[in-house]
Amino acid sequence: MRLASGHVAVQLEGEELAKIQRDFEGYRKGLVRLAPGGWVLPAPYPKYADKLYNTKFRETDVVIMTYPKCGTTWTQEVVWTMRNNPNLDHPKASAPISVRSPFIDSDMLMAMGKEGSTSLMSEFLKGVVPDPDPNEGIALQLTAHTPDPRTIKTHLPFSLMTPDLLDTTKVIYVARNPKDVVLSFLHHTRFMKNISYVGSLEQFVDYFVNDQLIYGPYWEHLREAWPRRDHPNMHFVFYEDMKADPMAELRKLNHFLGTDLTEEQLEKIVQYTSFEEMKKHEQDALQGKNMATFVNEEVVKKDGGFYRKGEAGGWKDRLTDMQAAKIDAWTKKNTLDLGINFKYSI
Ligand code: A3P
């Protein structure tokens, strides 16, 4: 199937799909791979692809673009708060981040799960979208009806979004060390019921470096973003820098976003968006009666939920030397031409 972006989407099949579906029990509907780029996405992606590609953004929008598990939610909360809640007194600040800051390409993920998850998400549309149509993509409708200034999340790479994105809109790209990403992603795929990964860490590392995980190839995602780093509408954030000195990163964001917040406001936002604070809010959400529709509660009890560890460098305790070496070799191969100042070059 040819898409408006010029890519061709082909369903995964044969032994590759059979193996993936044994390890990812939630992928009953399968996956597609796009050419060029090799992008792996949930099977329902083509249904939404052209709408996503043709979405026009506004000058007042900020798009947060990342490969999964790079600290998207943290950055969303920081940016949404800086723009909408600088004095921490917004009456709707405790609403889920996915309602305040829509995840534009999440319809295909919801369509992978049981029907219940879509109807539960439809609840979010009530009061936001005047005449919601669940068939038209909940996240797409939520995005369209979110009042300005919108802070929009996407895991899609540049080539699957409108080509004039940076001409009109500010983009914040968040990157994270792939050795921490792989562990965070492993956890995510285990506790999210619409994925339900049941394989080993060893196999998961192989899926990662073989570019078979959704939204990958990881390096292709970064390689599309990195050359755009000096564009005036583009801002790069590294998870490790946010961890090491959040105040310095918020100052840079303050400049990039033109939010003009004081040092005192920024300090309060650093506190408000710390791992510990954000985790507290998640605990309230996880106790919500509908959470069992989305998450495997046993995994959450044992290993945590969306807020797992919130560390940089945690891979040193979990990956074997062989696994780390495999990721390093793959990193080296993919970063040779990214430039000597690229953070994860080895
Ligand atoms: P870990 O699984 O390593 O703990 P995303 O939002 O892109 O899915 O990324 C999730 C990762 O960001 C998780 O990493 C999560 O714990 C971490 N994270 C979320 N909020 C954070 C915060 N306020 N400070 C530090 N890390 C945070």
Side-chain angles (χ1 to χ4, degrees):
M1 179 178 188
R2 184 168 286 277
L3 308 174
S5 61
H7 294 81
V8 175
V10 178
Q11 295 279 340
L12 262 59
E13 54 188 11
E15 184 43 38
E16 183 181 23
L17 180 64
K19 181 174 178 329
I20 290 175
Q21 287 184 320
R22 274 197 301 275
D23 290 335
F24 295 82
E25 291 182 347
Y27 287 168
R28 284 182 299 266
K29 293 183 182 161
L31 299 170
V32 291
R33 182 176 280 120
L34 308 191
W39 304 109
V40 175
L41 293 160
Y45 170 69
K47 178 176 171 197
Y48 305 103
D50 291 357
K51 279 192 182 143
L52 287 162
Y53 184 74
N54 290 324
T55 297
K56 292 291 171 202
F57 292 86
R58 307 173 192 156
E59 266 181 39
T60 47
D61 290 337
V62 171
V63 171
I64 298 178
M65 178 187 281
T66 71
Y67 181 85
K69 311 318 291 177
C70 292
T72 331
T73 320
W74 185 14
T75 314
Q76 268 175 293
E77 192 62 270
V78 165
V79 171
W80 188 89
T81 305
M82 288 178 72
R83 304 179 81 206
N84 300 75
N85 189 19
N87 297 315
L88 306 181
D89 55 2
H90 193 294
K92 295 201 174 139
S94 59
I97 187 72
S98 51
V99 177
R100 292 176 282 128
S101 167
F103 175 13
I104 190 169
D105 41 300
S106 57
D107 289 307
M108 60 180 167
L109 300 172
M110 286 183 260
M112 291 287 276
K114 294 210 175 93
E115 302 317 319
S117 59
T118 309
S119 60
L120 181 56
M121 286 305 285
S122 303
E123 291 281 303
F124 286 158
L125 292 183
K126 286 189 186 152
V128 184
V129 181
D131 193 11
D133 177 355
N135 290 321
E136 283 305 305
I138 290 165
L140 281 161
Q141 292 171 84
L142 193 58
T143 306
H145 285 88
T146 297
D148 291 343
R150 303 185 302 179
T151 299
I152 298 164
K153 157 180 167 179
T154 184
H155 285 319
L156 292 175
F158 270 101
S159 56
L160 301 182
M161 307 283 282
T162 177
D164 61 4
L165 178 62
L166 276 177
D167 298 339
T168 49
T169 303
K170 287 188 162 67
V171 175
I172 298 172
Y173 190 93
V174 191
R176 186 180 189 191
N177 185 332
K179 285 183 276 194
D180 283 330
V181 170
V182 76
L183 289 170
S184 188
F185 210 177
L186 167 70
H187 173 65
H188 183 92
T189 58
R190 288 178 64 235
F191 87 87
M192 288 300 288
K193 279 195 172 164
N194 61 349
I195 310 180
S196 291
Y197 178 70
V198 293
S200 65
L201 164 60
E202 184 72 35
Q203 287 166 302
F204 199 81
V205 169
D206 286 340
Y207 280 119
F208 190 44
V209 301
N210 292 333
D211 299 327
Q212 288 173 301
L213 297 179
I214 59 166
Y215 287 113
Y218 169 91
W219 283 113
E220 192 60 25
H221 208 292
L222 256 163
R223 290 157 64 87
E224 285 194 359
W226 186 242
R228 294 169 157 99
R229 66 192 176 281
D230 293 328
H231 191 289
N233 269 348
M234 178 86 176
H235 183 72
F236 242 84
V237 174
F238 288 94
Y239 181 91
E240 293 73 23
D241 293 340
M242 280 279 281
K243 281 300 293 183
D245 190 350
M247 195 59 191
E249 293 306 309
L250 262 69
R251 281 192 198 107
K252 287 187 216 162
L253 282 168
N254 199 22
H255 178 71
F256 176 69
L257 297 168
T259 31
D260 212 17
L261 304 188
T262 63
E263 285 283 293
E264 196 189 337
Q265 284 173 312
L266 294 179
E267 269 161 22
K268 286 189 176 151
I269 294 174
V270 166
Q271 279 307 315
Y272 179 74
T273 57
S274 69
F275 182 75
E276 292 69 27
E277 281 301 312
M278 287 181 62
K279 194 177 164 81
K280 267 191 224 160
H281 299 156
E282 183 202 27
Q283 274 154 0
D284 298 342
L286 283 176
Q287 275 152 22
K289 60 180 179 345
N290 292 319
M291 263 302 137
T293 316
F294 293 112
V295 304
N296 180 326
E297 290 174 305
E298 269 174 44
V299 177
V300 171
K301 218 177 274 169
K302 190 161 166 280
D303 298 323
F306 287 100
Y307 301 88
R308 188 184 60 103
K309 287 213 177 323
E311 292 170 358
W315 63 268
K316 290 180 192 131
D317 302 328
R318 279 286 304 280
L319 294 181
T320 63
D321 290 348
M322 288 265 285
Q323 288 161 351
K326 203 180 261 184
I327 298 176
D328 284 346
W330 169 71
T331 296
K332 194 167 180 184
K333 193 173 89 195
N334 282 285
T335 51
L336 287 177
D337 58 347
L338 277 185
I340 45 164
N341 60 345
F342 185 73
K343 201 168 190 91
Y344 309 123
S345 303
I346 50 160

